[in-house]
Amino acid sequence: MGRFDGKVALVTGGGTGIGRAIALGFAEEGGKVVVTGRRIDPLQEVSATNPERIRCVAADVSRGEDVKRAIAFTVEQFGALDVLVNNAAACTMGPLANMSDDALSAMLDVNVKGTLMGIRDALPHLGSRRGCVVNVTSVTAGAATPMMAAYAGSKAAVEHLTRCLAVELGPSGVRLNVVAPGMTLTPMLEANMDRQGIDQTAAHTPLRRVGTPEDVAEAVLFLASDQAAWITGQVVQSSGGLSL
Ligand SMILES: NC(=O)c1ccc[n+]([C@@H]2O[C@H](COP(=O)([O-])OP(=O)(O)OC[C@H]3O[C@@H](n4cnc5c(N)ncnc54)[C@H](OP(=O)(O)O)[C@@H]3O)[C@@H](O)[C@H]2O)c1
């Protein structure tokens, strides 16, 4: 028996990094998963590891019609939707003075609006199965972080909307929680930080290393499982203690 036997998940940004590890872990433990992202190639690579249990569809979480299409695809492929993992994100680091309108829009549209649209459109399915949502934020949501105002602010918004919706949707049996990763070795980190920066942050992390996608996936899978049936509206940091 796997923890996710008979369960169906949709993982946004599931072609790479943390989302990929979540999808592989969910399928390994008996579940069925749809992964989404804008690029089809990484999604197909993940799907090819376990085509019976992992399917993919290209969809941009900031586009309303794509969100609806991804949810419809999931239900069509696997007959239900029990777990929504809002993992996809846009991240641009740097001084606010240098941020383009497009970069600011992306961080709000993908990280905040995309999360809200996903939850809204998944609700009819989640509500009928007492399902759950796990939103992936960042330790920067709770720590004043220079050069990351837009990104960190968008992640703080996701943490608060999670608490609001946990209260709003609790009576229907739907749970919502957050995993806030610290520095994790993924393509997003490599795009934003050089080796020296990564080593310096590892040296400041109480557990003295950077996280792996699997480290973070473990926390997401726990919150998505029935083991967390009494947990809602919470933020779990998966960070080696980085923000302490
Ligand atoms: N790595 C870290 O150190 C770290 C730290 C704190 C929090 N996080 C959070 O962890 C989550 C996963 O990030 P990651 O580190 O695993 O980075 P990643 O490997 O770059 O994953 C991000 C994924 O999101 C997808 N994506 C981006 N924009 C999208 C959009 N508009 N629609 C659909 N999919 C989109 C990307 O695929 P496409 O480009 O193909 O769309 C990609 O697969 C994010 O929420 C991030 O903010 C990461």
Side-chain angles (χ1 to χ4, degrees), residues 175-196:
R175 298 183 300 108
L176 298 95
N177 290 290
V178 165
V179 171
M183 207 170 59
T184 312
L185 268 181
T186 68
M188 182 181 284
L189 181 67
E190 282 156 6
N192 281 291
M193 204 178 268
D194 61 17
R195 192 66 243 176
Q196 195 188 2

Side-chain angles (χ1 to χ4, degrees), residues 183-239:
M183 207 170 59
T184 312
L185 268 181
T186 68
M188 182 181 284
L189 181 67
E190 282 156 6
N192 281 291
M193 204 178 268
D194 61 17
R195 192 66 243 176
Q196 195 188 2
I198 293 173
D199 289 344
Q200 277 170 359
T201 312
H204 290 303
T205 300
L207 291 179
R208 293 290 188 275
R209 65 174 176 88
V210 294
T212 65
E214 291 74 22
D215 286 326
V216 179
E218 283 300 336
V220 172
L221 294 174
F222 167 69
L223 289 171
S225 76
D226 288 344
Q227 292 167 305
W230 194 229
I231 301 176
T232 196
Q234 303 304 307
V235 176
V236 173
Q237 294 201 351
S238 177
S239 67

Side-chain angles (χ1 to χ4, degrees), residues 64-152:
E65 63 272 28
D66 283 23
V67 172
K68 285 187 169 50
R69 189 165 46 78
I71 290 168
F73 177 83
T74 306
V75 175
E76 178 195 301
Q77 292 290 308
F78 293 133
L81 176 59
D82 300 282
V83 178
L84 172 66
V85 182
N86 285 306
N87 164 78
C91 176
T92 305
M93 284 176 67
L96 179 61
N98 295 352
M99 287 285 159
S100 67
D101 290 358
D102 284 350
L104 294 177
S105 296
M107 281 181 272
L108 294 174
D109 288 354
V110 175
N111 304 0
V112 183
K113 190 175 161 204
T115 296
L116 284 165
M117 291 194 299
I119 297 168
R120 179 194 65 195
D121 294 340
L123 263 183
H125 307 286
L126 300 178
S128 66
R129 311 252 301 178
R130 299 182 78 78
C132 69
V133 176
V134 183
N135 294 324
V136 180
T137 63
S138 162
V139 292
T140 63
T145 314
M147 309 296 166
M148 299 194 84
Y151 174 76

